[in-house]
Each structure stands twice: as structure tokens, then as C-alpha cells.
């Protein structure tokens, strides 16, 4: 998975088949072109299996290897340092999340849709709901025009999460 943050760098993440890592690369001028420069790398933090890293206000949200089990993690985009992690049975590295308006919409291991605060100071759960569909390996929740779309193995559900389009 990769995420380009204009003016900041490129994040690359892998967490499958023994290739567990996150790297942050910065493109620097060299010989009239650009060359990647490694800013940081880690083999425990943000090593997502499927999730495309989510960046909000200088923090990176995703999944990695915690101290005893997989965890939901928040790291600093600038230096890759761990800001916090939530390590419990809700999270595995094959989960998905998306961020909108300072809120994290995440799929946990119980196939629940969880609402969390996107804060670099700590984990704060705001609520959870069971969408009532079989998700299998969850797809990343999609938000468009105030609606959240969640695709399961056979069914798509839609939640109104913002103001209705006018």
C-alpha cells in the first residue's frame, strides 16, 4: 500500500508474506531529476496487510504489530514514532479504516463498524454498530456526499453519516 502526501513524502506499507514494514521516502533533487531518500522505516508499526495508510493532521492511522498482538496504531508522519496503539482482540492487520472530518470509521475483527476520534493524543471510541452483513476480508469503507458505503461479500450497505446532499 502506498500513500503520497504532497509536500511531505511517500509512505509505503506492507504486512503480508513476511514483508512487514513501513517506509517514508522523500523525493530530493539530484542530477536534474528526483531521487528517493529514506526518512524512516519500521518493521512493527503501520505494517498493514490491505489497508491504505490514512493520514490526518500529521498523524498516520493504520494497523501493525503491537507488543503482544496486532494493534490499531497512530504514528507521527514526520518521524514514524508511535503516538499510541490500541492492542486488543478488536484489531488485526487485515482490517480497514477511513477518516473523514476528524472521525475514524473502522472495521474490527467482529465485523463491527466502529466510530473513533482521529486524535494523535490517544484512542477514543465513540460507538460501534453491527452492519448485519458478512464482510469476509473487509473492504475499505467509502465516504461520499455524507454517506458511508460498506461492501460485504454479497451485500452493500449505506449509512448516512453527514449532512444529506442538497
Amino acid at each position: 500500500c502506498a500513500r503520497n502526501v504532497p509536500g511531505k513524502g511517500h509512505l509505503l506499507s506492507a504486512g503480508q508474506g513476511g514483508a512487514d514494514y513501513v517506509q517514508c521516502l522523500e523525493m530530493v533533487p539530484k542530477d536534474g531529476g528526483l531521487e528517493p531518500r529514506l526518512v524512516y522505516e519500521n518493521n512493527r508499526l503501520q505494517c498493514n496487510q490491505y489497508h491504505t495508510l490514512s493520514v490526518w493532521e500529521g498523524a498516520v492511522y493504520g494497523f501493525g504489530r503491537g507488543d503482544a498482538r496486532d494493534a490499531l496504531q497512530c504514528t507521527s508522519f514526520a518521524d514514524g514514532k508511535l503516538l499510541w496503539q490500541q492492542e486488543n482482540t478488536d484489531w488485526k492487520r487485515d482490517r480497514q479504516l477511513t477518516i473523514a472530518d476528524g472521525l475514524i470509521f473502522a472495521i474490527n475483527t467482529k465485523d463491527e463498524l466502529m466510530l473513533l476520534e482521529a486524535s494523535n493524543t490517544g484512542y477514543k471510541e465513540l460507538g460501534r454498530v453491527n452492519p448485519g452483513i458478512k464482510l469476509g476480508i473487509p473492504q475499505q469503507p467509502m465516504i461520499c456526499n455524507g454517506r458511508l458505503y460498506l461492501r460485504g461479500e454479497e451485500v452493500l450497505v449505506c449509512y448516512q453519516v453527514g449532512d444529506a446532499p442538497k
Side-chain angles (χ1 to χ4, degrees):
C1 301
R3 171 70 66 197
N4 175 31
V5 179
K8 301 284 186 180
H10 305 275
L11 287 172
L12 307 172
S13 173
Q16 194 171 14
D20 294 344
Y21 70 88
V22 66
Q23 290 182 333
C24 182
L25 303 173
E26 176 183 51
M27 301 305 284
V28 294
K30 182 175 180 185
D31 300 328
L34 294 174
E35 179 177 275
R37 180 183 68 83
L38 181 66
V39 178
Y40 60 83
E41 66 183 338
N42 193 297
N43 66 353
R44 188 176 72 82
L45 305 177
Q46 302 295 353
C47 48
N48 302 271
Q49 279 186 301
Y50 308 118
H51 173 63
T52 301
L53 296 163
S54 298
V55 179
W56 178 261
E57 296 185 345
V60 182
Y61 298 87
F63 306 94
R65 293 185 304 164
D67 298 322
R69 61 176 7 121
D70 287 349
L72 173 65
Q73 297 174 331
C74 176
T75 57
S76 166
F77 184 90
D79 58 17
K81 294 202 183 321
L82 181 66
L83 300 173
W84 59 259
Q85 70 181 3
Q86 181 67 18
E87 198 173 329
N88 61 30
T89 59
D90 280 335
W91 307 114
K92 283 184 65 176
R93 289 183 294 146
D94 67 354
R95 301 292 91 186
Q96 296 276 4
L97 67 84
T98 194
I99 298 177
D101 296 331
L103 298 171
I104 300 171
F105 298 85
I107 306 298
N108 70 13
T109 57
K110 300 171 189 96
D111 285 347
E112 296 170 314
L113 175 63
M114 295 182 65
L115 181 63
L116 312 167
E117 185 178 300
S119 169
N120 63 9
T121 60
Y123 177 87
K124 183 174 182 186
E125 182 179 329
L126 302 173
R128 60 175 74 197
V129 64
N130 184 329
I133 64 172
K134 183 175 178 165
L135 293 174
I137 295 174
Q139 303 299 310
Q140 192 158 5
M142 184 81 162
I143 297 177
C144 182
N145 293 326
R147 294 186 178 111
L148 180 136
Y149 298 89
L150 187 58
R151 185 174 73 121
E153 289 185 344
E154 298 176 359
V155 177
L156 175 76
V157 294
C158 176
Y159 292 97
Q160 187 74 40
V161 294
D163 294 334
K166 296 179 178 157

